[in-house]
């Protein structure tokens, strides 16, 4: 895991970021200041190998698991529902990141940039490219961001702890979106999405009971205070 330091960052769309679209989606605006406590986050997405180790140790089998993925141990685990994700988190003594924690980690210390690597246009060297990949790449295939984190965008969409909250211009401290309901936020885009969906501010949504072939996760752990 990597320690993400406490402090403020700018959350949300930098500007219209249209990239050939009509503009950043409304739920990415307005950009606002968020202050977070320090936390630790997994360097990479949870892999098939890691999840299978949990299955053996906990004698647990997720409903949507596909045995053929055992032949790709280094790929990120995918297509498991939120309850199955949370079982892993509890076993590992971790939790899912909030949207705010995920975005701060994804930005890698950069400010007002579109992607984890900065504002350079996507060219297939920074993350998986749908014109060349038939599925998500092995965890850690592409270069890390400024915090040393791999695959924050462009591998799989990633589960968040909370659902999407309404942004305002108010400064926020450790914001957490809705925790009830049937959906949660998903972040990061996947290998098949266009560069528009690989932006740090892009927000998706997924059903709690759903599992998708383009959806994975990574965990965080709170920093114990003296």
């Amino acid at each position: 895991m990597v320690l993400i330091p406490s402090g403020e960052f700018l959350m949300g769309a930098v500007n219209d970021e249209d990239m050939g679209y009509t503009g950043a989606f409304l739920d990415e605006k307005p950009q606002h200041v968020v202050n977070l406590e320090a936390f630790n986050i997994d360097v990479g997405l949870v892999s098939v190998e890691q999840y299978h180790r949990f299955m053996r140790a906990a004698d647990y089998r997720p409903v949507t698991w596909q045995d053929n993925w055992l032949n790709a141990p280094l790929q990120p685990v995918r297509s498991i529902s939120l309850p199955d994700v949370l079982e892993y988190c509890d076993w590992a003594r971790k939790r899912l990141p909030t949207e705010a924690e995920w975005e701060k980690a994804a930005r890698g210390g950069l400010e007002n940039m579109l992607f984890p690597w900065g504002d350079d246009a996507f060219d297939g060297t920074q993350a998986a490219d749908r014109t060349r990949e038939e599925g998500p790449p092995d965890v850690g295939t592409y270069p890390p961001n400024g915090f040393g984190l791999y695959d924050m965008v462009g591998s799989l969409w990633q589960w968040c702890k909370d659902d999407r909250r309404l942004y305002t211009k108010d400064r926020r401290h450790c914001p957490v979106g809705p925790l009830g309901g049937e959906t949660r936020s998903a972040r990061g885009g996947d290998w098949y999405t266009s560069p528009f969906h690989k932006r740090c501010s892009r927000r998706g949504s997924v059903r709690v009971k759903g599992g998708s072939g383009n959806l994975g996760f990574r965990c965080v752990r709170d920093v114990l205070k003296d």
Side-chain angles (χ1 to χ4, degrees), residues 4 14 20 59-60 69 79 84 137 140 152 164 171 174 176 179-181 195-196 200 202-203 208 221 223 226:
I4 306 301
V14 177
D59 191 22
Y60 183 82
W69 289 349
S79 193
D84 294 328
M152 289 304 296
R164 293 172 295 178
R171 188 181 300 259
C174 297
V176 179
L179 298 176
F196 177 80
C200 295
R202 176 73 171 93
R203 309 173 83 188
V208 167
R221 179 178 286 149
V223 175
D226 297 330

Side-chain angles (χ1 to χ4, degrees), residues 101 114 139 144 153 177 182:
E101 288 171 335
L114 296 178
V139 174
V153 301
E182 297 182 353

Side-chain angles (χ1 to χ4, degrees), residues 24-208:
F25 294 138
L26 291 178
D27 66 3
E28 299 175 29
K29 303 175 183 179
Q31 190 183 59
H32 56 291
V33 176
V34 167
N35 185 286
L36 294 177
E37 301 292 339
F39 61 95
N40 292 295
I41 188 167
D42 288 346
V43 169
L45 292 164
V46 173
S47 68
V48 169
E49 183 177 54
Q50 289 174 307
Y51 199 88
H52 193 229
R53 190 181 307 135
F54 150 68
M55 288 169 59
R56 294 195 304 268
D59 191 22
Y60 183 82
R61 187 177 183 84
V63 175
T64 54
W65 179 260
Q66 296 186 26
D67 285 334
N68 61 310
W69 289 349
L70 295 178
N71 297 321
L74 299 182
Q75 282 193 355
V77 68
R78 51 190 173 130
S79 193
I80 51 178
S81 68
L82 182 59
D84 294 328
V85 168
L86 296 180
E87 288 286 346
Y88 176 94
C89 292
D90 289 344
W91 173 78
R93 298 181 181 179
K94 301 177 183 180
R95 61 174 175 83
L96 288 175
T98 64
E99 266 206 289
E101 288 171 335
W102 186 94
E103 186 167 326
K104 181 174 183 178
R107 291 189 177 278
L110 299 178
E111 189 171 291
N112 281 333
M113 299 289 183
L114 296 178
F115 306 105
W117 58 83
D119 278 338
D120 292 343
F122 176 73
D123 62 11
T125 65
Q126 310 99 330
D129 185 347
R130 62 180 174 179
T131 66
R132 295 182 296 188
E133 305 276 0
E134 294 183 358
D138 289 350
V139 174
T141 296
Y142 291 88
N145 71 1
F147 285 144
L149 302 174
Y150 292 88
D151 308 318
M152 289 304 296
V153 301
S155 176
L156 294 175
W157 290 92
Q158 299 168 42
W159 283 102
C160 288
K161 174 182 178 179
D162 49 348
D163 205 352
R164 293 172 295 178
R165 63 182 173 85
L166 179 66
Y167 287 173
T168 68
K169 292 183 178 180
D170 298 330
R171 188 181 300 259
R172 301 294 297 269
H173 179 75
C174 297
V176 179
L179 298 176
E182 297 182 353
T183 59
R184 292 292 186 274
S185 176
R187 292 297 204 107
D190 62 59
W191 83 96
Y192 197 74
T193 56
S194 70
F196 177 80
H197 300 288
K198 293 176 170 66
R199 295 172 301 115
C200 295
S201 62
R202 176 73 171 93
R203 309 173 83 188
S205 180
V206 62
R207 291 180 62 82
V208 167

